[in-house]
Amino acid sequence: MSDRTNITDIAEMAHAPAYNDDAANTGETRTLQIFRGDGEGGSLVPYEIELIEGMVVLDAVLKIQAEQAGDLAVRWNCKAAHCGSCSAEINGKPKLLCKSRVEEYDGQEIKVMPLQAFPVVKDLVSDVSWNYGVSAQIQPFNPGKEQAPFTMYEEDVERLYEPKKCIECFMCQDVCHVLRTHHKHPEFAGPRFFVRTQWLEMHPMDENNRLQFLKEGRGGVQYCNITKCCSEVCPVDIHITDNSIIPLKERVADEYYDPAKWLMRKIRGNRRNGSANGNGGTRASHKRAEIRTNG
Amino acid sequence: MIGAGGAGLRAAVAATERGLSVGVVTKSLLGKAHTVMAEGGIAASLGNVDPEDGWQTHFKDTMKSGKFINNWRMAEIFAKEAPDRVYELEQWGALFNRTPEGKISQRPFGAHTYRRLCHVGDRTGLELIRTMQEKVLATDTKVYMETTVTRLFQNDEGRVVGALAYTRETGKFIHFKAKAVVMATGGWGRIFKVTSNSWEGTGDGVMLAYHAGAELVDMEMMQFHPTGMVWPPGVRGLLVTEGVRGEGGLLKNSEGDRYMGNYDEERMELSSRDVVARANYTEVKEGRGSPHGGVYLDITHLGYDKIIQKLPTMHEQFLKLADIDISKEPMEVFPTVHYTMGGIKIDPETAASNVPGLFAAGEVAGGLHGANRLGGNSLSDLLVFGRRAGEGAAEYVKSNGYSTDIPESAVEEEKKRMLDPLQKQGEGENPYHLQQELQEVMMEHANLMRTGDSLKEGLGKVLALKDRLPNMKASGSTLFNPGWHAVQDVNNLVTISEVILRTALERTERRGAQWRLDFDGPDDDLGRVNFIVKEDAQGEVGIEKRDIPPMPEHLRRLFDENQDMSGGEKTGKESQF
């Protein structure tokens, strides 16, 4: 035994210090309205639960699942706002359920619905597989002949950290009216993938050119009329409109509407924007992964 | 590939590059695997910040921390190949923080001799998984998202020739025919109530392999991360990255005392995880804890700007979930179940298990980390052995020709077993409640301090739970039904718990994560063995004590002559309390 410790009761030491769960019970109850149903339809069903101190809406949903409705479908993984799985809508606004404290809604109803820009699977789960299909159509990172380790300085890459924070919760996709209201899914990639395209385009070692994808391909960046709805809901505070979409729109405008560039393109074909060592309009071939969410 | 974390995806890339037709099956959406939760960094001896670093030192640190029951060949391969795997990530688009010279920056971490963790803020795991995800999306690999495997199929020779799975969305069954299977399903932290693991950490893969006849190693070794959140209750156990201590965070008790000096004077807060976890536990147990039953982790001296730059996720996590601004106030933390060192025993060269056609990599595999894993070693483990598993599986498939057909009756039997809980009439057990009961038992009896009596009592309780498993019932349909999914999880979790309790009873000593209060210290004889678990002919847990082969001369001479290689820390107070 060390001089600090004097454990006389070994068995006692082997038991983890008990937390007092009861102390966290507030003694209050709260009712949540949760969508129960599937793609065919459904309704909001009220569930009353005991309120626990600091509880987030995901805690409440999981408590309901364990105690009242075993088959209540909800998607979640990390419960720490790192993975972006538990996105749904609370009172009509996209939210990470793991990051939304119940007490934020004091004095209001809490209505939890699945993301609305995608087909509903069941209860709080939407079919977001469309996003993975779009992702597979973006040309991946391509450093050409350069071999890592790369020499890149902090000032070369610091603007890439922000778009790389994306946790793929798809809430920006959910709130974007081009998708949500106008259902342009076949010809518009959505904010999430402008964020991805931005870091790829701005990566100092990347040699691919994705401007054609943005303008003529299924990127469809011109559909965005910069209402900034996406930026407002981003749980990791990416300034999607200002830092991703507008710079991409500017690049597209430069490439397609600058008369000198237009002429050059006619003569020499597409080249990497601003790069002298582009590959003359050839596009790195890449195969598309097949994504399935069901058999 | 079963599992789409770092290991499964790296294996998929390796096998695809060798011309195989590859499918990745994952319980979640792509990119949500537990790899995403890794925060601090990926350990590789690039020597960018400390040029003295090299594979030899990384190897030594890994073996010392694992208390020398690691598979030394795995550790050697790992330390040698980790730098290439990091550069490969950069080649594929991963972005790490930079040094002033424009190289990948490296931060210090617990019990790494040099600054070794390549990182990007505190979201390194996200960078790794997104890079691998995008790499896989650009190949022919098929990804089956939200699909759970329930059983491996074997042919008459015992070779693995496929698996049965169901899609979570519809409950529809898929019979995968595969000439080789790579298990990359991660760990089983969900047997404990307080864990940093997501719902996925239910040990499906280790149980699939066990029931197929695979040998498991070091199952008694569960890592408790020293710093999990304690308040509010909903986030209890949530990880607080070791990066906080790497960036200079100090541990203090309620008396304001920086107590780590009493446990490891030299390394202080950056001692190995087992030591810091026990220190935190002891401080609370002896009455010097915080109001919510933790200790204080203080990083306020770093200042707001540096915290936002280096630990942005932690800042946000505490601010949002606990109303704590970590640039102004200390955090309250307590050990949380984090990682499983043990798992499927594999061949270090090919990642093959003893079952033909079955490979394993990542957390589900055992051997590399021994009795305690170093922070940052898991991410490089995923890539080093994920690649080897993919290549091993590809070589195996190319050199073996046989049919993947199995009798239809075997498929039907498994479907029937799976559907049974939905068809049960009358009253049944709620799987959620059984899981909660199990978690309470494991918290009480298999925590980071253990005694023989308590382990035995826990085993009795787990066996009683095992008897109740057939009564589990799920209501509703097969359409995205978490209650039905939970039945399968609980079956696995109960058996894993039994294995852990039984092996913990066998290892009668203090070594790394296995800390028996009823024994004084390490036992030199046990320092030369691993406990190997294999399902016996009666379907019971069989345990064999197996000698560790002696370390070859070229590795042995890396250690000082005077170094204690028994794995015990015989000097210093830490080993004594």
Side-chain angles (χ1 to χ4, degrees), chain B residues 77-103:
Chain B
I77 289 172
F78 164 77
K80 284 180 175 169
E81 294 184 1
D84 282 346
R85 299 286 79 76
V86 171
Y87 290 140
E88 182 178 81
L89 279 183
E90 187 167 82
Q91 185 77 25
W92 295 342
L95 179 64
F96 298 98
N97 289 149
R98 317 304 296 178
T99 67
E101 299 78 33
K103 297 175 178 174

Side-chain angles (χ1 to χ4, degrees), chain B residues 333-347:
Chain B
V333 295
F334 192 73
T336 178
V337 172
H338 184 54
Y339 189 86
T340 51
M341 269 77 72
I344 302 167
K345 189 173 179 342
I346 59 169
D347 168 46

Side-chain angles (χ1 to χ4, degrees), chain B residues 389-404:
Chain B
E391 291 183 356
E395 289 308 313
Y396 168 86
V397 168
K398 285 178 180 175
S399 55
N400 288 284
Y402 49 86
S403 163
T404 54

Side-chain angles (χ1 to χ4, degrees), chain B residues 315-477:
Chain B
H315 185 264
E316 168 86 3
Q317 181 173 310
F318 274 88
L319 195 64
K320 193 69 196 172
L321 300 175
D323 303 323
I324 300 283
D325 179 347
I326 65 169
S327 69
K328 297 199 178 97
E329 295 171 76
M331 299 161 246
E332 278 183 86
V333 295
F334 192 73
T336 178
V337 172
H338 184 54
Y339 189 86
T340 51
M341 269 77 72
I344 302 167
K345 189 173 179 342
I346 59 169
D347 168 46
E349 315 298 329
T350 61
S353 75
N354 59 307
V355 178
L358 180 63
F359 299 75
E363 190 174 352
V364 72
L368 169 61
H369 308 291
N372 176 53
R373 175 176 70 81
L374 282 178
N377 270 7
S378 60
L379 290 188
S380 21
D381 172 15
L382 302 179
L383 299 173
V384 168
F385 291 100
R387 171 175 160 275
R388 283 186 169 256
E391 291 183 356
E395 289 308 313
Y396 168 86
V397 168
K398 285 178 180 175
S399 55
N400 288 284
Y402 49 86
S403 163
T404 54
D405 290 340
I406 53 153
E408 198 50 35
S409 58
V411 180
E412 290 310 314
E413 195 182 321
E414 176 60 7
K415 288 183 186 171
K416 188 173 168 302
R417 183 185 76 86
M418 283 306 298
L419 291 172
D420 184 58
L422 284 168
Q423 284 151 1
K424 221 169 236 121
Q425 303 296 320
E427 286 291 301
E429 296 266 10
N430 177 336
Y432 296 108
H433 292 169
L434 268 182
Q435 182 170 354
Q436 284 162 3
E437 279 185 56
L438 177 70
Q439 289 172 333
E440 300 281 356
V441 171
M442 293 302 280
M443 284 306 285
E444 187 175 352
H445 298 289
N447 212 294
L448 58 76
M449 307 270 187
R450 299 169 173 180
T451 66
D453 287 344
S454 180
L455 287 166
K456 276 182 207 148
E457 197 184 331
L459 182 60
K461 290 180 184 175
V462 167
L463 293 176
L465 283 172
K466 199 176 177 181
D467 289 338
R468 289 161 56 193
L469 292 178
N471 306 330
M472 279 191 290
K473 184 185 163 177
S475 57
S477 71

Side-chain angles (χ1 to χ4, degrees), chain B residues 12-13 26 46 58 79 111-112 130 175 179-180 229 249 272 292 312-313 322 339 366 385 420 470 485 504 515 528:
Chain B
V13 169
T26 164
L46 309 183
H58 194 183
H112 285 281
R130 201 66 81 232
H175 174 192
K179 290 190 171 169
M229 289 177 80
S272 60
H292 298 109
T313 312
Y339 189 86
F385 291 100
D420 184 58
H485 306 160
W515 205 256
R528 287 187 279 270

Side-chain angles (χ1 to χ4, degrees), chain B residues 134-149:
Chain B
E134 289 169 0
K135 178 77 184 161
V136 164
L137 279 178
T139 69
D140 279 336
T141 303
K142 286 184 190 169
V143 182
Y144 298 84
M145 295 200 290
E146 301 194 314
T147 301
T148 304
V149 174

